[in-house]
């Protein structure tokens, strides 16, 4: 899978999802930005990077490899229980996947920011 490119449609479609979780602030444009959307709610505050994913059903390993630069940049944001960093991926058909970026892992989330139940 080729790394996801910046997609104005993905960002536009991400806004209503982000608004379900709290107040949002969009980051300015530019190649050096670390995130696209900041969600402010009681807890946590989330910094979101939105990308297009040509193969939305890829494994976590493939996603971590293909989006390593975005993940690396999200890991620069100071995080704790009250501040998180997330990678949101959108397919060309409008399917979404959401990931919490931790220091060492990616944890898949639902659209509300809760970890998906595995198994």
């Amino acid at each position: 899978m080729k790394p996801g490119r910046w997609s104005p449609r993905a960002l536009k479609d991400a806004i209503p999802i982000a608004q379900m979780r709290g107040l949002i602030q969009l980051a300015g444009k530019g190649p050096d930005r670390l995130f696209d959307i900041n969600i402010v709610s009681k807890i946590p505050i989330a910094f979101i990077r939105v990308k297009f994913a040509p193969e939305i059903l890829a494994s976590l390993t493939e996603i971590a490899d293909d989006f390593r630069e975005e993940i690396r940049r999200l890991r620069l944001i100071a995080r704790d229980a009250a501040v998180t960093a997330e990678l949101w991926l959108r397919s060309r058909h409008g399917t979404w996947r959401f990931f919490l970026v931790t220091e060492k892992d990616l944890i898949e989330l639902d659209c509300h920011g809760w970890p998906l139940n595995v198994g």
Side-chain angles (χ1 to χ4, degrees):
M1 172 170 68
K2 292 181 183 177
R5 63 183 189 275
W6 184 81
S7 168
R9 180 171 182 174
L11 184 58
K12 179 183 169 218
D13 290 351
I15 291 171
I17 298 168
Q19 287 174 326
M20 290 188 316
R21 291 178 47 188
L23 299 173
I24 68 164
Q25 180 178 22
L26 298 175
K29 294 181 182 180
D32 294 332
R33 72 179 182 278
L34 298 177
F35 63 93
D36 297 307
I37 300 172
N38 177 245
I39 302 173
V40 180
S41 60
K42 289 186 179 182
I43 292 181
I45 294 171
F47 292 90
I48 312 296
R49 185 74 164 141
V50 180
K51 296 298 280 187
F52 169 77
E55 295 182 30
I56 198 73
L57 299 179
S59 70
L60 281 178
T61 303
E62 291 170 312
I63 288 170
D65 186 49
D66 292 337
F67 294 93
R68 72 178 147 280
E69 179 59 20
E70 288 80 11
I71 293 167
R72 182 192 70 76
R73 293 171 69 83
L74 284 167
R75 286 182 172 144
L76 294 173
I77 297 169
R79 293 173 318 280
D80 63 17
V83 179
T84 65
E86 298 176 21
L87 176 64
W88 291 10
L89 303 177
R90 183 192 185 279
S91 76
R92 72 178 66 102
H93 302 292
T95 303
W96 286 92
R97 287 181 77 186
F98 309 92
F99 301 93
L100 175 66
V101 177
T102 67
E103 187 176 321
K104 296 183 182 185
D105 295 314
L106 289 179
I107 299 168
E108 192 154 6
L109 305 171
D110 67 15
C111 64
H112 303 287
W114 295 101
L116 289 180
N117 293 330
V118 180

